[in-house]
Amino acid sequence: MSISRSRNNQHKVYIPSSARTNQYLLVKFPVTDELINLNKQLIDKSSEQPYQKFYQHLADSFFGINNKLDIESGQFIANEKFSRIRYSPEKLTVQTDQEILFLYSPRNHYSQNTYINGKKRVRIITLVFLANGDNVRQTSAEFHKNVLAALHEFIEINHINKSMVRVSDHQHLTYDLFSKDKGVTGTQTHKLRTLKNRYAADDISLPDKRDVLTYVVADLPINRRIKELLSVDKSKAKPYQPLYDLISHAFIESANKQHLFEGAILANGLTPIVRSRLEEDHKAAGELQKLSFNPFEPNNNFTLHFDGDCLVDSVQFVIIATKDHKTSQGYGKFLNLVEQALRATAKKLNYVTAKEELVIRLHQHLGYDL
């Protein structure tokens, strides 16, 4: 193989044909005094749920516009809960005190639902647009364009201040790193171009001021074999800390060899919420672990978030693509490096690849103010 061809292949990643893709857009806007005054006839302060009709009015408008533009799946959220979307072959919605988890398959599931707390004036309303179809990644630009058309009409009809609307585009690729060892044949080839370049090919220009973030979350299940890598002495304080230290050391050593230095490791049972921010900031908030990174000025370290008193179901590795991982081709090389690091980690932990899963979820995020 020629050197030029070899270098070109570095920018391509070959993932299993069984990989799942999904895309969703989150749109958030504040419930301002102005918006309340425009809809005061729908608000009954004497009622037990004074804001119910107001929220339902906005929801009906949202779904009506979506239907007109053939956007089949959407969620209207006015209850202050964080919305999280993941691929699943089975449709399921789970609510906790802090979040709503939507599990769905873009190919098979369609839904339009409202999640409203009519008793209170919420701070933010969230509109969720879920992509449907067999080729979500290939049609992502078209879906983004269609959502923007729906959003502009929704804003105009309901007299919402455009300058206060935030749009976030989220795209995921999810697969088991060891699918081939379990008999999965066939691959998909990706260069993982930036969303900007992919959308430019479809004549979508994005605002100059935008937040972008590409990262991987990998889940390493703590099964019985992993638990038995060390003898756990439950009579000691933080009995599971040595196990988490063993796993994190194996991963960080493997990651650093692949020039992966930015991210986090979670073994505290919390859900990681990853965002792009100018200042790096990490804090636990109830059932959520908020993680903020600046990919353009990385701190070059993996932060550790462990609860040594608790045996977690899985250890989660968050690996951030920094400015040094972005090439003219995209992020294919980055994902190849991540795979190599995780394979090395699994080898150190004596992974049984024909039976045990190590699920990778690649995130490509884009956010901007409308």
Side-chain angles (χ1 to χ4, degrees):
M1 181 182 292
S2 68
I3 293 177
S4 61
R5 185 177 177 187
S6 176
R7 285 177 178 170
N8 186 51
N9 282 344
Q10 290 178 2
H11 298 285
K12 295 179 180 178
V13 62
Y14 301 89
I15 67 174
S17 57
S18 57
R20 292 97 67 187
T21 62
N22 62 319
Q23 177 192 15
Y24 59 95
L25 272 76
L26 300 179
V27 174
K28 297 183 179 182
F29 60 91
V31 178
T32 61
D33 291 342
E34 180 184 14
L35 187 59
I36 290 292
N37 289 333
L38 286 170
N39 293 275
K40 58 186 177 182
Q41 73 280 5
L42 298 173
I43 299 170
D44 181 4
K45 293 291 183 68
S46 65
S47 169
E48 289 186 3
Q49 299 191 66
Y51 296 96
Q52 180 72 29
K53 290 182 180 179
F54 166 53
Y55 297 147
Q56 191 61 56
H57 168 74
L58 292 177
D60 291 343
S61 171
F62 170 60
F63 294 129
I65 293 168
N66 284 2
N67 290 339
K68 186 171 68 173
L69 295 176
D70 294 324
I71 299 174
E72 296 197 68
S73 295
Q75 315 294 332
F76 181 93
I77 302 172
N79 62 7
E80 303 284 25
K81 293 187 179 182
F82 178 83
S83 53
R84 187 159 58 96
I85 294 91
R86 295 291 182 264
Y87 180 97
S88 173
E90 296 185 18
K91 183 177 178 295
L92 183 65
T93 302
V94 179
Q95 286 200 68
T96 68
D97 289 340
Q98 285 185 268
E99 65 176 326
I100 308 177
L101 172 62
F102 299 99
L103 302 175
Y104 91 112
S105 163
R107 180 178 184 180
N108 299 317
H109 301 144
Y110 305 86
S111 65
Q112 293 182 337
N113 296 300
T114 59
Y115 300 88
I116 290 172
N117 181 357
K119 295 181 179 180
K120 63 180 291 188
R121 173 178 168 176
V122 298
R123 186 175 60 87
I124 297 288
I125 287 176
T126 301
L127 310 178
V128 182
F129 297 85
L130 301 168
N132 285 116
D134 292 324
N135 302 298
V136 167
R137 193 168 182 84
Q138 290 84 344
T139 60
S140 61
E142 180 183 347
F143 182 66
H144 189 105
K145 185 186 296 185
N146 208 21
V147 166
L148 287 183
L151 182 56
H152 282 295
E153 185 170 346
F154 177 82
I155 288 171
E156 182 178 354
I157 289 175
N158 292 289
H159 306 288
I160 294 168
N161 188 339
K162 179 180 176 181
S163 66
M164 304 182 78
V165 177
R166 179 75 175 175
V167 178
S168 300
D169 190 329
H170 302 255
Q171 298 181 34
H172 303 163
L173 269 173
T174 308
Y175 60 97
D176 174 18
L177 180 61
F178 301 115
S179 292
K180 186 176 180 181
D181 300 79
K182 299 177 181 67
V184 175
T185 59
T187 58
Q188 305 174 18
T189 305
H190 295 275
K191 289 185 179 179
L192 299 178
R193 290 180 297 162
T194 64
L195 297 189
K196 175 188 174 183
N197 289 345
R198 283 165 52 196
Y199 287 4
D202 288 272
D203 298 321
I204 297 178
S205 59
L206 298 168
D208 292 333
K209 187 178 181 180
R210 59 185 182 275
D211 295 323
V212 294
L213 192 62
T214 297
Y215 64 96
V216 165
V217 177
D219 285 308
L220 189 151
I222 304 299
N223 58 19
R224 185 175 63 183
R225 186 191 63 77
I226 293 290
K227 285 186 285 187
E228 292 175 351
L229 290 174
L230 287 178
S231 296
V232 175
D233 186 351
K234 294 184 180 180
S235 66
K236 292 185 177 181
K238 299 185 181 299
Y240 300 104
Q241 187 71 33
L243 177 62
Y244 301 153
D245 289 340
L246 172 71
I247 294 170
S248 63
H249 182 268
F251 169 73
I252 291 174
E253 184 179 60
S254 301
N256 288 171
K257 284 183 179 179
Q258 301 301 329
H259 302 284
L260 300 167
F261 302 106
E262 187 82 356
I265 306 174
L266 279 70
N268 58 7
L270 303 185
T271 300
I273 305 301
V274 185
R275 293 291 180 261
S276 175
R277 296 288 186 270
L278 291 178
E279 297 294 330
E280 186 170 302
D281 182 33
H282 311 307
K283 59 183 178 182
E287 62 206 45
L288 307 177
Q289 178 70 57
K290 296 183 179 181
L291 304 169
S292 299
F293 299 93
N294 184 344
F296 303 102
E297 295 183 11
N299 286 337
N300 292 325
N301 71 295
F302 284 94
T303 60
L304 307 179
H305 308 273
F306 299 163
D307 181 355
D309 291 319
C310 175
L311 178 62
V312 297
D313 293 331
S314 66
V315 171
Q316 299 175 88
F317 306 120
V318 178
I319 309 149
I320 305 296
T322 68
K323 60 181 180 180
D324 297 325
H325 295 120
K326 178 185 173 184
T327 71
S328 59
Q329 304 278 340
Y331 288 99
K333 185 176 181 181
F334 164 71
L335 188 52
N336 278 322
L337 296 175
V338 170
E339 286 195 354
Q340 291 173 46
L342 291 172
R343 288 183 186 279
T345 303
K347 186 175 182 180
K348 292 174 183 177
L349 300 175
N350 301 320
Y351 234 70
V352 184
T353 59
K355 295 181 179 179
E356 299 174 348
E357 286 192 335
L358 208 170
V359 174
I360 291 175
R361 186 171 61 253
L362 174 79
H363 296 245
Q364 286 186 282
H365 288 188
L366 169 73
Y368 57 88
D369 295 328
L370 199 61

